[in-house]
Amino acid sequence: MRLLHSLAKTHATFDDPNLVSHSGLVPVMALAERAGLGELTARHVRPAGPGGVNAAVKIGCLVAGMAAGADSIDDLDLLRHGAMSMLFGGIRAPSTLGSHLRAYTWGHVSQLEKVHREFLAALARQVPLLPGAGTLAFVDIDSTQKRVYGYRKQGARFGYAKVAGRQLAVRGLNALAASISTPLAAPVIAATRLRGGNAASARGAASFAAQAVRTARACGCTGTIVARMDSAYYAAEVLHAIRRAGARFSVTVPQNSSVRAAIAAVPEDAWTAIRYPRALWDEQLGCWVSEAEVAEMPYTAFTGIPARGWQHDAVRPMDGRLIIRRVQDQNTAGQDELFPVWRHHAVFTDSPFTTVQAEGQHRDHAIIEQVFADCYDGPLAHLPSGKFAANAAWLTCAAIAHNLLRAAGTLASRACARARGATLRRDLIAVAARTARHGRDHITVHLPEGWHREHEWLNLLDIVCGPPAAAA
């Protein structure tokens, strides 16, 4: 590709009032309006003070800006250009939106989180967002340390995060998140909670997990729900809360003395060989691992507390299955081994599936890392405010924008239903267009000829602007 004209004869000017750079916001925000984002916000969210008025309009601006790629308060100015005022009403300046976020307290953040949960349920009723949820769905829970640099960030503390494969202490805020997915569907965010940077992973996880399971039920997950977690959430109160909510659990078990004794008691003929569909890179071994063996045995967890304390879930023993995967250690330094050395990974679960199925499903818990990466590549590139509650509200708006983009991609095409958020923003949102009025109150958006996602864009527009569809 090369320029057809010399540089001296190439000119540019920003003077066309009929152009927009993000025409994909038209069907996306139409979908948000149809699912009731404005009505839910007006009903539940009521921040105090002059900056808290018109929450429905301002939350809509925040979500629209994030869907278009804004990752800071100043970036929300991308909503104010060209013919955007011809397509949308109520667009606010970034300073106004920043003042609105700073008007939030923790109680107002809880109100916004309720809007997020109900909005996701409304999307799931209108869009086939979670195909197969009537049979099997997964709720994945994990936390992430979001690094911040401002010394006036409320709640910023030193916590551990993995950077370039290493555990490092970084100064930041801790975000707890839960996602919902099925074997056929990409994950959506069910719940979020911002915490101080030094918060332990399992702090508040019991109520958070139960809330995520209830949200999954509201989204149409009427079949089996399996909550998957890593070893940081191996706690009696967390697992009992999941059971009381009507879900199953699958949690990594730390290698304590009880687990090591259970692993040592597994007979050699009880191991079943498995082969991964795709080889995995093992950081400790420094090689690709494609073969392993699994075994299972009954196991009772949390038995170290006297019986008189069993009336509390925090100390009540729990029966389940211990599924163990072992991988042969290949760090032999070029010498023949006298006997095989194995590395073990244990999972405690009450899953109704077979050993091989349950072990493979637990490994898929890594899908929540894709959710975090998707958000970091979008609105969570920054936590832009110095106020803790404002950043918590920003996190919730980012989750709403993520789910809205996922629903829009589902309506656009099968490929877009599983695409990354950056791909959806590039192909469906960031499309330049020219607006033209004709007739009475009619407007036509003229998009580029030959756009490579023309059919997907028109599919989305036809569905959200057509007659209301039957409940999914």
Side-chain angles (χ1 to χ4, degrees):
M1 177 182 289
R2 62 184 181 85
L3 286 172
L4 291 177
H5 307 281
S6 64
L7 297 180
K9 296 181 179 180
T10 303
H11 310 282
T13 178
F14 291 85
D15 60 356
D16 196 328
N18 297 315
L19 294 180
V20 293
S21 63
H22 291 79
S23 62
L25 287 177
V26 172
V28 169
M29 296 313 294
L31 177 60
E33 182 178 343
R34 175 165 285 188
L37 177 60
E39 290 83 352
L40 290 171
T41 306
R43 185 186 312 155
H44 297 300
V45 183
R46 299 181 180 88
V53 299
N54 293 327
V57 173
K58 294 173 182 177
I59 290 299
C61 288
L62 288 165
V63 171
M66 292 177 178
D71 59 22
S72 67
I73 294 175
D74 287 342
D75 285 350
L76 296 169
D77 206 25
L78 62 81
L79 298 176
R80 303 196 304 164
H81 69 273
M84 290 292 284
S85 58
M86 295 174 57
L87 297 172
F88 302 98
I91 299 177
R92 297 296 193 266
S95 58
T96 303
L97 299 177
S99 299
H100 179 73
L101 289 173
R102 289 188 291 272
Y104 278 66
T105 63
W106 187 250
H108 301 130
V109 173
S110 299
Q111 295 172 355
L112 187 58
E113 289 173 349
K114 182 175 183 179
V115 171
H116 165 225
R117 296 191 299 269
E118 294 189 5
F119 180 67
L120 177 59
L123 281 177
R125 288 192 294 269
Q126 298 195 21
V127 179
L129 200 56
L130 296 167
T135 302
L136 174 63
F138 300 103
V139 172
D140 293 285
I141 301 171
D142 204 353
S143 63
T144 181
Q145 186 82 358
K146 178 56 187 170
R147 194 169 194 172
V148 298
Y149 299 93
Y151 286 99
R152 294 186 179 181
K153 293 275 188 181
Q154 293 181 354
R157 300 290 186 274
F158 279 97
Y160 285 94
K162 182 173 284 189
V163 179
R166 298 180 179 179
Q167 288 287 343
L168 300 177
V170 298
R171 188 172 182 276
L173 295 168
N174 188 285
L176 185 62
S179 68
I180 307 173
S181 63
T182 72
L184 303 175
V188 294
I189 300 177
T192 58
R193 183 178 297 172
L194 191 65
R195 307 178 298 176
N198 57 351
S201 295
R203 193 183 78 184
S207 61
F208 185 82
Q211 185 182 79
V213 172
R214 290 193 296 268
T215 302
R217 292 296 186 195
C219 292
C221 300
T222 57
T224 301
I225 296 178
V226 180
R228 303 182 294 197
M229 301 159 288
D230 59 27
S231 59
Y233 304 93
Y234 181 69
E237 61 270 21
V238 177
L239 303 188
H240 281 295
I242 292 172
R243 272 191 173 176
R244 286 196 305 270
R248 309 277 184 153
F249 61 82
S250 179
V251 58
T252 304
V253 180
Q255 296 285 331
N256 54 34
S257 58
S258 175
V259 173
R260 287 193 294 269
I263 293 174
V266 178
E268 192 63 29
D269 58 356
W271 296 96
T272 301
I274 61 173
R275 188 175 185 88
Y276 298 132
R278 292 178 296 274
L280 303 176
W281 177 257
D282 192 301
E283 296 178 356
Q284 297 182 14
L285 300 181
C287 64
W288 293 95
V289 176
S290 60
E291 294 183 355
E293 295 179 349
V294 295
E296 109 168 51
M297 61 184 305
Y299 185 75
T300 301
F302 318 116
T303 58
I305 305 298
R308 61 179 178 271
W310 287 5
Q311 65 269 24
H312 302 292
D313 283 348
V315 294
R316 186 182 302 160
M318 176 177 286
D319 295 326
R321 306 159 59 191
L322 190 68
I323 297 178
I324 309 154
R325 181 179 81 249
R326 69 177 186 179
V327 179
Q328 188 170 356
D329 196 336
Q330 300 178 10
N331 285 332
T332 55
Q335 59 184 354
D336 294 336
E337 58 183 8
L338 298 177
F339 52 87
V341 178
W342 301 92
R343 293 190 306 111
H344 298 87
H345 180 274
V347 175
F348 183 55
T349 182
D350 61 351
S351 169
F353 299 96
T354 65
T355 303
V356 175
Q357 288 175 328
E359 193 276 331
Q361 290 170 354
H362 184 80
R363 278 189 282 114
D364 289 338
H365 168 64
I367 196 172
I368 196 170
E369 298 297 338
Q370 298 178 10
V371 176
F372 288 142
D374 213 3
C375 292
Y376 282 172
D377 196 26
L380 284 189
H382 306 94
L383 288 170
S385 179
K387 289 197 62 176
F388 184 82
N391 286 325
W394 182 273
L395 173 64
T396 305
C397 289
I400 294 174
H402 177 276
N403 295 340
L404 182 60
L405 272 182
R406 183 61 58 207
T410 300
L411 294 178
S413 70
R414 183 176 298 179
C416 291
R418 301 185 69 91
R420 293 285 304 274
T423 302
L424 296 176
R425 286 190 290 271
R426 182 194 65 209
D427 292 347
L428 299 180
I429 307 296
V431 189
R434 178 175 58 84
T435 60
R437 292 184 180 274
H438 59 93
R440 175 174 294 183
D441 298 330
H442 287 269
I443 191 168
T444 300
V445 181
H446 296 272
L447 292 93
E449 183 180 5
W451 184 252
H452 65 295
R453 290 292 181 261
E454 174 184 351
H455 296 295
E456 289 85 348
W457 202 99
L458 291 176
N459 284 343
L460 175 59
L461 182 69
D462 291 342
I463 294 174
V464 301
C465 294

